[in-house]
Amino acid sequence: MAQPHLLASRLTLAFKAGGEAELLTGISTDIWDINGPHLNDFSYKTGPVLMAEARTCEHGIPVAVAQSAHCDFACEESRETTDAGVYRRIRFSAKAGEPYTVTLFAAVYTGIDDPEPGKLASVLCEKALTDGFSYCLFAHKKAWDEIWKHSAVELTGCEEAAQALNASLYHLHSIAPRHARALSIPARGLSGQTYKGAVFWDSEIFLFPVFVHTEPDLAKALLRYRIETLPGALKKASEYGFRGAFYPWESQEGGTEGCSDYNVTDVFTHRPVRTYFRDKQIHISGDIAYALWRYYEITGDRSLLRDGGAEVIMQCARFYLSRAHRRVDRDKVELLDVVGPDEYHERVNNNAFTNQMAAHCMSLALKLAEVFEDDPGVIEELVKKLDYEEDLKLIKEIAPKLHPAITQGAVVEQFDGYFQLEDCTLDTVRSRVLDEREYWGTNNGVAAHTRIIKQADVIAMMALFPELFSDETVERNWRFYEPRTEHGSSLSACMYALTACRINRPDLAWEYFMRTASIDFAGGGKHWAGDIYIGGTHPAANGGAWMIAVLGFAGLSVKNGEISLNPRLPKQIKSLRFPVTLKGKRVTVTVTEDGWNVKPDS
Amino acid sequence: MAQPHLLASRLTLAFKAGGEAELLTGISTDIWDINGPHLNDFSYKTGPVLMAEARTCEHGIPVAVAQSAHCDFACEESRETTDAGVYRRIRFSAKAGEPYTVTLFAAVYTGIDDPEPGKLASVLCEKALTDGFSYCLFAHKKAWDEIWKHSAVELTGCEEAAQALNASLYHLHSIAPRHARALSIPARGLSGQTYKGAVFWDSEIFLFPVFVHTEPDLAKALLRYRIETLPGALKKASEYGFRGAFYPWESQEGGTEGCSDYNVTDVFTHRPVRTYFRDKQIHISGDIAYALWRYYEITGDRSLLRDGGAEVIMQCARFYLSRAHRRVDRDKVELLDVVGPDEYHERVNNNAFTNQMAAHCMSLALKLAEVFEDDPGVIEELVKKLDYEEDLKLIKEIAPKLHPAITQGAVVEQFDGYFQLEDCTLDTVRSRVLDEREYWGTNNGVAAHTRIIKQADVIAMMALFPELFSDETVERNWRFYEPRTEHGSSLSACMYALTACRINRPDLAWEYFMRTASIDFAGGGKHWAGDIYIGGTHPAANGGAWMIAVLGFAGLSVKNGEISLNPRLPKQIKSLRFPVTLKGKRVTVTVTEDGWNVKPDS
C-alpha cells in the first residue's frame, strides 16, 4: 500500500525428503483478455531483473512488468525467454526439513506513469531487493494503519458483521486511486476484467459517500475524473442529437463510452440482445451533478465547483433540457424513452427517479449563482463562455415541471404505465425462468412486463432525496416495492436499508446490511447476465455497507462540516465507532444504545 | 350471390354395383374455434328442415343454421340429434349405373339480421326447396353477371395474369358486404378465423380503391363502418391518455380493439412476445382520414363527410395533436415511439410514413371548411360541438412542422436513426434465421437492427402521396428500399408496383403484379408468424392486384368524376379493358399499346 507499483511476496519451502529442487518463476504473458487481446508488441529482457514489455492495442501505451528475486540459500539460477514469458529457473540441493525462503518482487508501470515505464519498473525491483521484504512489509503496514485510522468502523455486538464490514472497506481501500489526481473506480475494482474496467454511476452514488466523509481528497479525485472527461460527455450527447453533457454509461479512458448496444447474449439463440443502457440510461449525468453538489454541501469546499464542477452541472442540465419534450397540446414536460435504475424495464416514459434526478440537476444549475454570490464573476463568465443565458431562462421554467408528481402518503409510480403491468410475485416470475442464465430484462425477459423490478428505483430516489418525502410516504413505498424487487444488482440492498433506517425499521435494514457487507466476504451474488460472466468484487456494495452502517444505523449527516446524528441501531449492534474527516480535521463518532458523541482526534 | 344467407349444393351419385345405400347429411357443430369456443347454448331441431341454434359467448347473439334437402328418387329418411349436430339419414336401394341426385340447401342467420334468426333460416330453406336448385343457380349467376359488369378487368396478352387478376376480384366480391349499410372486410375475408375477423388498415388503403372506382356504395359501407365505430376510437385514445380518435389496429364489432399486446409467440421459449402494433401503430387513424378524403375527391360526393366523416377526420387530427411532442429547447415537432407499416422496426421516432399521414390528416381538418364553403354551418357546428376552436389554431401551427423532411432527389430516412442500422442483405438476414417460423421483428428479431424491412414503408408513402415526390426522388428511393424489403406482408408488392409504374418501369412492376394477383390463385404467401397460423385468402392483395392493373398499368386517376389516364403497359400486356363507375354512371376504359379511350356504357 505504501508503493502501489510494487508487489512483494515471500515463500518458504520445506521438503519431506532431500534432493535436487527446481523452482520456476517469472512473468507469463499468456493471459486471458476479455473481448480479445489487449496487448501486443511483446518483448522480454533477462538479467537479475526480468522484464516483459508490451503495448496496449488501442492506444499503444507501453506497459512494463519487472521481477526481481532473492533466495536466502545457495542456488544456481538460469534465465530463459519463451514465446509468452520470461522466467528464472532456480536449482538447489534441498535437505529434508530445512526451510528455504524465496522473496519475489514485481513492479508494474505504464506509459501513463512515465514515458519509460520499463526503467521505473526495473529500478523499483532493484530498490525493493535492497530495501528487503521486511522493510517493504513495514511500510505497507504503516500505510494501512493510516488508512484504517481515518476509515475503520468498530462495530460491536456481532463479530460476523464487524468482519464483513471491514472486509468491505479493505476491498474498497485496496483499489482507491490514491496515486492519481483525477481517477475513478471501475465497477469490479481491480478484481477482474468484467465490465471492462469501466466507471459507472456506482462511483458517484455508492463509492463517493464513504470517501467524502473519510478521505475527501479521494472523493475529489473521483469527481475530477468526471470533470476531466466532460469532452467525452459532450461528444456523446451530440452524437445522439442532443446538447450538453451525456456521460457514458460505462466510462472508459478519456470519457469515451465503453457500453455496447448489445450487453447481453440471449441464452436460447446465442444472439446478442439489444439493450438500452448506453443510449437511454440518462440519469447518469444527473448522478454526477448530484455528487458534485453533495461534495460542496458536505465539505463546504467550493473549489471543485469552481474548477470545472459548475461547468459539468450546467452542461448536464443543458443535456436534460435538450432531451425533454413537451406535449404539443398541453403544458406537460416529459422525459421519454429512458431506462431507470431498474434495468428490467427498458424504454419507459417519465421514470420517477430519472425525472427527479434531471429536475434536481437543473435546479443545481440555477443555484450555482448563489454559491458564488460573493464572487459572481465565476458563474457569469461560465454563462458567457457556454452561451447559457437562454438555457437558464428555460431551465427556470422547465425544472419545476419535470419533477415527478408526488402525493405524500401514496405509492409513486415507477414510470408511466407501471401500475398497469402484471402484478405477480417474484416466485411466479422465477417459476417462468427456463434457463438459470437467462436475462430477465429486455423486451421479452420474464420480468419485463410485470411489476417485478431488478433493483431499487423509486426507493433509490427516496434514499437520495429524503427531504422530499414524508416518513409515511417512504414507508408505503417501501412496503409496496420491496416484495417486488429481485435485488438483482448489488446496488439495491443499500437503498432499501437506508430507507428502512429512515422509517425507524433498522430490523428490516439488517438483512440488507449483512447481504451487502458480506457480498465479497461470503461469496454469493449474481455471476452471470445471459452468457456473460459478471463476477468479481463489488465496490459499490462495499461502499454501500459503509453507507448503511454510518448513514443508516448511526444516522450521520453532515452539512457544511457540521455533524448531526439520528441513530437507528438494530438489536444486533451494541455500538458503532468510526472516524469522520471534516474540513481537514478528524473526529471520532461513537454511537451506543444509550446515545452518541463526537470527539475530535487528538 | 343473389341471396347471401343461402348455400345451395347439388350432388349426383352413381354406384358401380347395386345395393342398399345410406347417406348421412346435416349440421355438425363440432367446429374448431380460434382462441377457444365462440358459441354456446346449442340446441337442435329436427323435421323436414334441420336446425342448429346457438349463442355467441361474448354478446349472446343468437346464430341459426338450417338445412333442407330434396332427393329425386325414392328413399326413406330418418333424423337424429347427437351431442354436436343434427342429421338426416337417407336410405335407398341403389341400382348400378343409375344417377341419384340430392339437393341440399343451408341457410344462416344471426341476431344481427333479425331477433329470430331461426325462423328466417327455416323459411329460407323451405323457400329454396320450393324455388328449386335451378332457379337459385340462375339468380346467383345473374347477380354475378351484374358484379362482373361493373368490375371485370379484361386483360389480353397473358392468360395467366388475366385469370389471376379476375380470381382476385372473385375473392374480393365474394366477401364484399353488399348486404350491409356500414360494414368492412376482415383481413382474411371469410376464409378463416385468422386475425379474428378484424378490420385492419387494409380496408382503407388496399380494398377501398377498387370499390370507390367500381361500386362506390360499397366503398361508402366500408367507411361508414369507421364512422359508426368512432366511439371505440375515442375510447381507445382516452385509455392511452390521448384526445381524439385512435382507431383500433384490429377493429372488432363496434370498433373495439381486437389486437393483443402479444401478437407473436417466441419459437424458442414458446412465450408470448410483446409487440407494439396495438399501441404504437398510430398511422391507422390517418389512413382512415385519407380514405374519407379520397372518397370525396374521387366521387365529388360530400355526403359522407357531412354524415360523420368530417367528425372522424377532426377527431383523428386531434389525436395526432395530442400524440405529438415538441422538443423543449427547439421548435421541432415529433411523433415519438411509433410503429410504421414496416413492423420489423418497432418503437421508432418520426417514421416518415406516419408523420406524413398525421400531417396530412391535420391538413384535412383544416380543409373541411373549404369543402362546405357554401354551407359553412356544417363545420361551424362541428367545431362548436367538439370544442375544436383551439385545436384548429394549434393544427394550423403544427401540421406544417410534422411533415417529414423531404429533399427531392435524396433517399428519405424511414425513421430517425434508420441509416445507422446495419446495412446487410436480405440473404444475410435469412442466413441468421435459426427456425423458419421465427418472427423477424420485435426487439431481437433478425431484421430488427438491420435496414431490412418487412414491407413498403417510405415507398408506401410515395405511392399514397405521389404529388409530393419528383420522379427522380421516387426512383432513388425505390432503388434504395426495394432490395432491402422482405415483402413479408401481402401489402408490400402493390406499393412497389404502383411506384414502379410511376417511374415508367412497368417491367419492374410486373413481377409484383403477378405475385399479388396470384397469391390466392397459386398458393404461396407467408402462413406463419412465430407459432401462429396466419394463412387464408388475402383480400388486400386481391385489391392490390386491381390497383396495379388499373391505377398502375392503365394509369387511371379520377378527380371529382373526371378521368385521366397515363398508361404504362408492361410488354406482357397487350390491352386492358375495365369499367369505372362515376357519379352513378358506368364508363368503359380501354387501354392498348397504341392509346386509350373512355366510352360510356350504353
Side-chain angles (χ1 to χ4, degrees):
Chain A
M1 187 52 84
Q3 173 44 278
H5 294 277
L6 183 68
L7 187 80
S9 63
R10 168 166 281 184
L11 189 69
T12 299
L13 303 164
F15 299 85
K16 282 186 180 165
E20 290 306 299
E22 189 177 294
L23 194 70
L24 188 71
T25 175
I27 306 159
S28 166
T29 56
D30 181 17
I31 43 180
W32 172 78
D33 286 326
I34 206 168
N35 302 328
H38 296 175
L39 299 170
N40 56 22
D41 204 5
F42 287 94
S43 68
Y44 307 100
K45 278 183 209 150
T46 62
V49 172
L50 303 182
M51 174 87 70
E53 289 179 283
R55 283 178 181 276
T56 62
C57 295
E58 226 170 334
H59 295 291
I61 297 167
V63 175
V65 179
Q67 192 213 39
S68 62
H70 170 74
C71 299
D72 72 345
F73 50 88
C75 61
E76 261 177 35
E77 181 178 311
S78 65
R79 291 146 198 159
E80 56 202 67
T81 300
T82 69
D83 275 357
V86 54
Y87 300 92
R88 61 181 92 233
R89 200 177 288 272
I90 297 165
R91 290 197 186 80
F92 58 99
S93 301
K95 287 184 193 157
E98 290 271 311
Y100 297 88
T101 297
V102 187
T103 305
L104 299 170
F105 297 103
V108 186
Y109 278 94
T110 74
I112 294 171
D113 306 306
D114 191 90
E116 289 184 85
K119 216 176 212 168
L120 292 193
S122 179
V123 166
L124 185 57
C125 273
E126 280 162 9
K127 184 177 179 301
L129 266 190
T130 315
D131 291 344
F133 184 81
S134 301
Y135 175 80
C136 290
L137 186 61
F138 170 77
H140 174 70
K141 278 184 172 167
K142 204 172 153 232
W144 266 111
D145 284 347
E146 201 45 56
I147 290 170
W148 289 122
K149 251 187 222 162
H150 65 245
S151 71
V153 182
E154 200 178 300
L155 182 160
T156 68
C158 177
E159 184 58 23
E160 195 189 338
Q163 280 186 342
L165 175 55
N166 280 297
S168 294
L169 291 173
Y170 167 77
H171 279 299
L172 214 50
H173 287 298
S174 299
I175 55 174
R178 288 192 179 76
H179 62 293
R181 196 187 152 272
L183 200 62
S184 199
I185 298 177
R188 287 289 180 264
L190 300 170
S191 68
Q193 298 174 38
T194 299
Y195 294 132
K196 299 165 271 180
V199 176
F200 290 67
W201 70 313
D202 307 32
S203 291
E204 281 70 26
I205 304 298
F206 300 88
L207 303 177
F208 165 81
V210 52
F211 295 128
V212 75
H213 288 97
T214 61
E215 208 173 339
D217 278 351
L218 256 177
K220 225 170 177 167
L222 301 190
L223 294 176
R224 278 209 198 96
Y225 168 77
R226 298 299 196 174
I227 293 172
E228 294 199 354
T229 57
L230 175 62
L234 297 174
K235 193 163 160 257
K236 180 175 167 187
S238 136
E239 280 169 6
Y240 282 112
F242 302 110
R243 300 159 63 230
F246 182 10
Y247 273 89
W249 185 243
E250 301 183 10
S251 185
Q252 302 271 19
E253 209 112 289
T256 57
E257 174 64 272
C259 185
S260 143
D261 279 342
Y262 299 84
N263 281 277
V264 174
T265 301
D266 181 74
V267 295
F268 303 105
T269 61
H270 303 289
R271 290 178 187 147
V273 176
R274 178 69 160 94
T275 48
Y276 295 88
F277 313 149
R278 178 196 168 108
D279 43 346
K280 316 244 179 234
Q281 206 153 345
I282 61 170
H283 64 79
I284 178 67
S285 290
D287 304 335
I288 290 163
Y290 178 92
L292 279 163
W293 193 258
R294 291 292 289 155
Y295 178 87
Y296 161 69
E297 274 190 325
I298 291 167
T299 64
D301 168 16
R302 60 187 190 181
S303 69
L304 205 57
L305 291 178
R306 184 194 301 263
D307 299 339
E311 185 168 348
V312 165
I313 290 173
M314 287 164 76
Q315 291 286 24
C316 290
R318 175 178 267 173
F319 167 64
Y320 290 119
L321 208 52
S322 82
R323 185 61 168 68
H325 280 93
R326 232 194 264 258
R327 286 269 293 255
V328 158
D329 67 346
R330 45 168 139 146
D331 192 22
K332 189 178 175 196
V333 177
E334 311 190 76
L335 281 177
L336 302 170
D337 204 3
V338 308
V339 180
D342 160 32
E343 292 169 336
Y344 286 167
H345 295 89
E346 296 186 319
R347 307 198 63 185
V348 302
N349 294 338
N350 298 311
N351 168 251
F353 179 98
T354 305
N355 281 29
Q356 172 55 30
M357 221 17 130
H360 174 70
C361 175
M362 286 188 183
S363 72
L364 297 183
L366 298 176
K367 274 190 199 163
L368 285 169
E370 291 168 32
V371 175
F372 294 97
E373 218 168 2
D374 59 333
D375 191 3
V378 176
I379 301 302
E380 279 166 18
E381 266 167 45
L382 262 180
V383 169
K384 208 173 152 190
K385 175 184 155 196
L386 303 179
D387 192 13
Y388 210 80
E389 200 68 61
E390 284 304 309
D391 286 333
L392 272 181
K393 274 186 218 155
L394 205 47
I395 285 171
K396 246 174 228 154
E397 188 216 324
I398 295 303
K401 294 177 183 166
L402 203 52
H403 282 285
I406 296 164
T407 309
Q408 295 298 347
V411 177
V412 175
E413 188 172 31
Q414 189 175 300
F415 51 80
D416 292 353
Y418 170 84
F419 287 151
Q420 276 142 55
L421 298 179
E422 185 190 351
D423 193 15
C424 59
T425 66
L426 199 47
D427 280 343
T428 302
V429 167
R430 275 207 190 97
S431 73
R432 293 173 184 167
V433 168
L434 299 174
D435 182 316
E436 58 170 343
R437 288 195 189 176
E438 73 174 272
Y439 184 63
W440 288 23
T442 85
N443 189 48
N444 244 49
V446 286
H449 304 290
T450 74
R451 295 195 204 171
I452 297 302
I453 65 176
K454 182 183 176 194
Q455 67 194 82
D457 196 302
V458 165
I459 291 301
M461 169 176 74
M462 293 184 174
L464 296 177
F465 298 94
E467 69 286 0
L468 295 183
F469 303 93
S470 70
D471 287 354
E472 187 207 350
T473 310
V474 174
E475 180 153 7
R476 280 213 57 186
N477 280 271
W478 205 98
R479 295 203 176 278
F480 180 87
Y481 282 108
E482 198 278 336
R484 293 175 172 86
T485 306
E486 185 213 3
H487 302 293
S489 158
S490 56
L491 310 181
S492 191
C494 162
M495 296 298 175
Y496 275 97
L498 287 176
T499 43
C501 291
R502 154 78 187 271
I503 57 174
N504 203 12
R505 289 298 302 271
D507 55 316
L508 295 174
W510 177 253
E511 190 201 333
Y512 292 113
F513 170 66
M514 287 305 288
R515 199 190 298 176
T516 291
S518 60
I519 191 166
D520 297 325
F521 191 60
K526 213 179 196 178
H527 295 298
W528 296 94
D531 270 353
I532 297 173
Y533 180 70
I534 55 165
T537 65
H538 299 79
N542 303 154
W546 181 93
M547 288 164 77
I548 301 171
V550 174
L551 309 181
F553 295 149
L556 174 83
S557 67
V558 181
K559 196 159 185 184
N560 198 9
E562 299 299 320
I563 276 184
S564 71
L565 287 147
N566 184 18
R568 310 284 200 193
L569 288 188
K571 68 178 195 306
Q572 292 87 347
I573 298 182
K574 289 212 176 329
S575 72
L576 283 167
R577 183 192 309 263
F578 53 87
V580 175
T581 297
L582 295 170
K583 297 187 173 177
K585 286 189 181 141
R586 201 156 53 221
V587 300
T588 296
V589 177
T590 309
V591 176
T592 66
E593 294 150 305
D594 305 322
W596 55 269
N597 68 60
V598 180
K599 281 192 186 152
D601 280 20
S602 52
Chain B
M1 187 52 84
Q3 172 46 276
H5 294 278
L6 183 67
L7 187 81
S9 62
R10 168 167 280 183
L11 190 70
T12 299
L13 304 163
F15 300 85
K16 283 185 180 168
E20 289 306 299
E22 190 178 294
L23 195 69
L24 187 72
T25 176
I27 306 160
S28 167
T29 56
D30 181 17
I31 42 179
W32 173 77
D33 285 326
I34 206 169
N35 302 328
H38 296 177
L39 299 170
N40 57 21
D41 203 6
F42 288 94
S43 68
Y44 307 100
K45 278 182 208 151
T46 60
V49 172
L50 303 181
M51 175 89 69
E53 289 179 282
R55 282 178 183 276
T56 62
C57 294
E58 226 170 336
H59 296 289
I61 297 167
V63 176
V65 179
Q67 192 212 41
S68 61
H70 170 73
C71 300
D72 73 342
F73 51 87
C75 59
E76 261 177 36
E77 182 180 309
S78 64
R79 291 141 199 163
E80 57 200 67
T81 299
T82 71
D83 275 359
V86 53
Y87 302 92
R88 60 181 93 230
R89 201 176 287 275
I90 297 166
R91 289 197 186 81
F92 58 99
S93 302
K95 287 183 192 155
E98 289 270 312
Y100 297 87
T101 297
V102 186
T103 304
L104 300 169
F105 297 103
V108 186
Y109 279 93
T110 75
I112 294 171
D113 306 306
D114 192 89
E116 291 185 84
K119 216 178 216 168
L120 291 194
S122 179
V123 167
L124 185 57
C125 274
E126 280 163 10
K127 185 178 178 303
L129 265 190
T130 315
D131 290 344
F133 185 80
S134 301
Y135 174 80
C136 290
L137 185 62
F138 170 79
H140 175 69
K141 278 183 171 168
K142 204 172 152 230
W144 266 110
D145 284 346
E146 200 47 54
I147 290 169
W148 289 122
K149 251 188 221 162
H150 66 245
S151 71
V153 181
E154 199 179 301
L155 182 160
T156 69
C158 177
E159 183 59 21
E160 195 190 339
Q163 279 186 342
L165 175 56
N166 279 297
S168 294
L169 291 174
Y170 167 77
H171 279 299
L172 214 50
H173 287 298
S174 299
I175 56 174
R178 286 191 181 79
H179 62 294
R181 196 185 151 272
L183 200 61
S184 199
I185 299 177
R188 288 288 180 264
L190 300 171
S191 69
Q193 298 174 37
T194 300
Y195 294 132
K196 300 164 270 179
V199 175
F200 289 69
W201 69 312
D202 306 33
S203 290
E204 281 71 26
I205 303 298
F206 300 89
L207 302 176
F208 165 81
V210 50
F211 294 129
V212 76
H213 287 97
T214 62
E215 208 173 339
D217 278 350
L218 257 177
K220 224 168 175 168
L222 301 189
L223 294 176
R224 276 208 199 96
Y225 169 76
R226 297 300 194 175
I227 293 172
E228 295 198 353
T229 57
L230 175 62
L234 296 174
K235 193 163 160 256
K236 179 176 168 187
S238 137
E239 280 168 6
Y240 283 111
F242 303 109
R243 300 160 61 231
F246 182 10
Y247 273 89
W249 184 243
E250 301 184 10
S251 184
Q252 302 270 19
E253 209 111 289
T256 56
E257 174 64 271
C259 185
S260 143
D261 279 343
Y262 299 84
N263 281 278
V264 174
T265 302
D266 181 75
V267 295
F268 303 107
T269 60
H270 303 289
R271 289 177 187 146
V273 176
R274 178 70 160 92
T275 48
Y276 296 88
F277 313 146
R278 177 196 169 107
D279 44 346
K280 316 247 178 230
Q281 206 153 344
I282 61 170
H283 64 79
I284 178 66
S285 290
D287 304 336
I288 290 163
Y290 178 92
L292 279 163
W293 193 258
R294 290 292 288 155
Y295 178 87
Y296 161 68
E297 274 191 323
I298 291 167
T299 64
D301 168 16
R302 61 186 192 182
S303 69
L304 205 57
L305 292 179
R306 183 195 301 262
D307 298 340
E311 185 168 348
V312 166
I313 290 173
M314 288 163 76
Q315 291 287 24
C316 290
R318 174 178 269 174
F319 167 65
Y320 289 118
L321 209 54
S322 82
R323 185 61 169 68
H325 281 91
R326 232 193 266 258
R327 287 269 292 255
V328 158
D329 68 345
R330 45 167 137 146
D331 191 20
K332 190 180 173 195
V333 177
E334 311 191 76
L335 281 176
L336 302 169
D337 204 2
V338 306
V339 180
D342 160 32
E343 292 168 334
Y344 285 169
H345 295 88
E346 294 184 320
R347 307 198 63 185
V348 301
N349 295 338
N350 297 311
N351 168 252
F353 179 97
T354 305
N355 281 28
Q356 172 55 29
M357 220 20 130
H360 175 70
C361 176
M362 287 187 181
S363 72
L364 295 184
L366 299 176
K367 274 190 200 164
L368 285 169
E370 290 168 33
V371 175
F372 293 97
E373 217 169 5
D374 60 332
D375 191 2
V378 175
I379 302 302
E380 280 166 17
E381 266 168 46
L382 262 178
V383 168
K384 208 171 152 190
K385 174 183 154 194
L386 303 179
D387 193 13
Y388 210 80
E389 200 69 59
E390 284 303 309
D391 287 332
L392 271 181
K393 274 186 216 154
L394 204 48
I395 285 172
K396 246 175 226 153
E397 187 217 326
I398 295 303
K401 294 177 182 164
L402 202 53
H403 282 283
I406 295 164
T407 309
Q408 295 297 347
V411 177
V412 175
E413 189 172 31
Q414 190 175 301
F415 51 80
D416 291 355
Y418 170 84
F419 287 151
Q420 277 143 54
L421 298 178
E422 184 189 353
D423 193 15
C424 58
T425 66
L426 197 49
D427 281 344
T428 301
V429 167
R430 277 208 190 94
S431 74
R432 293 172 184 167
V433 167
L434 299 173
D435 182 315
E436 57 169 342
R437 286 194 191 177
E438 73 175 91
Y439 184 62
W440 289 23
T442 86
N443 190 46
N444 242 49
V446 286
H449 303 290
T450 73
R451 295 195 204 171
I452 297 302
I453 64 176
K454 182 183 177 196
Q455 67 194 82
D457 196 303
V458 165
I459 290 301
M461 169 177 73
M462 294 185 173
L464 296 178
F465 298 94
E467 68 286 0
L468 295 183
F469 304 93
S470 69
D471 287 353
E472 187 206 349
T473 310
V474 175
E475 179 152 7
R476 279 212 59 185
N477 279 272
W478 205 97
R479 295 201 176 281
F480 179 87
Y481 282 108
E482 197 279 337
R484 292 175 172 85
T485 306
E486 185 213 5
H487 302 295
S489 157
S490 57
L491 310 181
S492 192
C494 162
M495 295 299 176
Y496 276 97
L498 286 177
T499 43
C501 291
R502 154 77 187 272
I503 57 174
N504 204 11
R505 289 296 303 269
D507 54 316
L508 296 173
W510 176 254
E511 191 201 330
Y512 292 113
F513 170 66
M514 286 305 289
R515 200 190 298 176
T516 292
S518 60
I519 191 165
D520 297 325
F521 190 60
K526 216 178 192 175
H527 296 299
W528 296 93
D531 270 353
I532 298 172
Y533 180 68
I534 55 165
T537 64
H538 298 79
N542 303 153
W546 180 91
M547 288 164 79
I548 302 171
V550 173
L551 309 181
F553 296 148
L556 174 82
S557 68
V558 180
K559 196 159 186 183
N560 197 9
E562 298 299 319
I563 277 183
S564 71
L565 287 146
N566 185 17
R568 310 284 201 191
L569 288 188
K571 68 177 192 308
Q572 291 86 347
I573 297 181
K574 287 210 175 336
S575 71
L576 283 166
R577 183 193 308 262
F578 53 86
V580 175
T581 296
L582 295 169
K583 298 189 171 175
K585 287 190 180 139
R586 198 154 60 221
V587 299
T588 297
V589 177
T590 309
V591 176
T592 66
E593 294 151 304
D594 304 321
W596 55 269
N597 68 61
V598 180
K599 280 191 187 153
D601 279 20
S602 53

